[in-house]
Amino acid sequence: MDYLTIFLAFMLCLSYFLICGRQRKPIQAMAVNSLSGVALLVILSFLTSFSGEGIGINYATVTVSSVLGLPGVIMMFLLSFVI
């Protein structure tokens, strides 16, 4: 099981670098993606603190939001209602 997790993490990082590498300014694209993901995570954490449901801020959520950006935060938010 650990090999599968490592393989999926490697494939995720590789695809992230390929997508950002196709941009005109890849470093800027990565920075904007990461900052927008973390900003949305903080905003959602603040807004959902009133209702009691939502995404908590920990190492896993910050990593997902900084690597995957906005789609990662939206995915975690939707999964919080399913699980």
Side-chain angles (χ1 to χ4, degrees), residues 38-52:
V38 172
L40 182 64
L41 178 67
V42 170
I43 290 169
L44 277 178
S45 176
F46 178 71
L47 291 177
T48 58
S49 65
F50 299 116
S51 67

